Amino acid sequence: MEQAAVERLERMIDREIKARFPAGGVQRVAVLQHGDDPAIEPDELLVRVFIATGGEPDDYQRSLDAWAEAHQAALKRIRRELSLRLPPARLLEFTVDDASDPGAAPRITMPDDPALTSAPLSGPEIVEAALGLLRSSYVFPDRAEQAAAAVERRLAAGEYDGLDEATLAERLTAHLDEVCADKHLRVRVMPPLPAGREPPGPEGRTRRQGRPVPGGTRGRDDRGPEGGPERGHPLNYGIHRVERLEGNVGYWTCAEWLTRTTPDRPSPRRWNWSPGPSR
């Protein structure tokens, strides 16, 4: 995988994982590939999460174990989501950022478990994953927190239990809209690729159980399952951030550029890396 793609993936995972834990609980996330660490095989990735700990190096192992015990459910959920959404991420590690001796820092390693992907995510798990994305990526953080809190109350009351994916997506979208009043904010079920259209290897975009997997580039044909233009894109067509700066200056960051190969087809067919942020 090209380094630019790894860095983009790293930023996305960093935002999502930090949103799953109390503020300051996770310092940073690193995404490593073959050649970065002896444990990583070709075509595989390692996601390394650095947690915030106090005390001296002699206390790191105890602090890491206590942190992992307190967040056991969240760790398992992250491992499962990586297995579903990013299959090349065979290894997930939690460690501390020990600048004095990085190689000696204690680690908790969670390898990929095929059993985790044998069943689709439950309704509550899908809702929790969506709220993590909302908190980490929505343009209005205060409103994101208000909407997430409202949905969590509904989740605790069992309002999302026993729903099929389409009904769950519709209900969750409606509940988010009650707070955010944003028609661009919605939850959709992404259809699986037709047979024979799955691109091979981690460089291509693959899908498992009908869910998009981040990383890589778009395949040759991006039409929907009925041959029509694809609706939306799981990475927001490369637009990663939109801000209003001081002086009422608009600023948007685009990591990918869209080109079309036919003038009469509105859906994207190919994605190319841009040299950097655009204004």
Side-chain angles (χ1 to χ4, degrees):
M1 185 180 292
E2 293 182 2
Q3 188 59 34
V6 174
E7 291 173 358
R8 177 172 60 91
L9 188 62
E10 184 177 87
R11 290 193 297 270
M12 183 175 65
I13 296 176
D14 181 89
R15 290 196 304 269
E16 290 194 28
I17 289 184
K18 284 180 177 177
R20 307 298 178 87
F21 299 98
V26 172
Q27 290 182 325
R28 62 186 179 94
V29 173
V31 175
L32 309 177
Q33 58 182 334
H34 182 62
D36 296 332
D37 188 286
I40 308 173
E41 298 294 333
D43 298 330
E44 294 184 355
L45 298 174
L46 183 154
V47 176
R48 183 169 290 161
V49 181
F50 295 87
I51 71 165
T53 60
E56 299 298 323
D58 290 344
D59 299 324
Y60 285 166
Q61 184 67 64
R62 185 173 65 253
S63 298
L64 180 63
D65 291 342
W67 184 89
E69 180 67 25
H71 300 287
Q72 188 175 26
L75 269 58
K76 291 181 178 179
R77 186 159 55 246
I78 291 171
R79 175 62 273 179
R80 186 181 188 194
E81 288 184 27
L82 281 176
S83 297
L84 286 168
R85 297 171 59 193
L86 189 64
R90 300 294 185 183
L91 296 174
L92 171 64
E93 284 188 356
F94 294 87
T95 185
V96 298
D97 207 349
D98 186 358
S100 62
D101 190 358
R107 300 177 185 178
I108 295 175
T109 302
M110 302 179 70
D112 181 36
D113 183 358
L116 295 174
T117 61
S118 61
L121 294 173
S122 67
E125 287 175 321
I126 292 174
V127 172
E128 290 170 353
L131 295 185
L133 291 170
L134 182 72
R135 284 185 163 115
S136 65
S137 304
Y138 192 53
V139 65
F140 303 115
D142 292 344
R143 193 169 297 176
E145 186 57 40
Q146 294 172 9
V151 169
E152 284 174 339
R153 289 192 292 270
R154 294 179 181 273
L155 180 63
E159 294 189 27
Y160 304 108
D161 294 346
L163 302 179
D164 61 76
E165 289 187 342
T167 303
L168 174 62
E170 182 179 355
R171 181 172 297 184
L172 183 54
T173 297
H175 291 165
L176 293 173
D177 189 60
E178 288 179 3
V179 178
C180 298
D182 183 354
K183 296 303 181 183
H184 296 91
L185 179 62
R186 57 191 182 272
V187 180
R188 295 198 304 265
V189 178
M190 301 295 290
L193 281 175
R197 292 244 329 263
E198 184 170 351
E203 291 293 329
R205 180 175 301 281
T206 62
R207 294 177 187 250
R208 292 181 58 176
Q209 299 186 4
R211 291 175 175 80
V213 178
T217 58
R218 295 292 294 177
R220 288 183 62 252
D221 192 346
D222 297 323
R223 289 173 293 178
E226 286 77 35
E230 182 188 47
R231 294 185 59 192
H233 187 276
L235 293 182
N236 200 34
Y237 290 106
I239 300 174
H240 283 218
R241 182 179 296 273
V242 177
E243 300 177 82
R244 181 186 297 177
L245 305 179
E246 186 177 357
N248 201 30
V249 175
Y251 181 87
W252 63 283
T253 302
C254 183
E256 299 174 358
W257 288 106
L258 167 66
T259 60
R260 297 174 182 168
T261 56
T262 58
D264 59 341
R265 183 160 180 252
S267 63
R269 290 180 64 89
R270 188 171 183 84
W271 295 83
N272 297 316
W273 293 112
S274 71
S278 302
R279 188 183 309 190

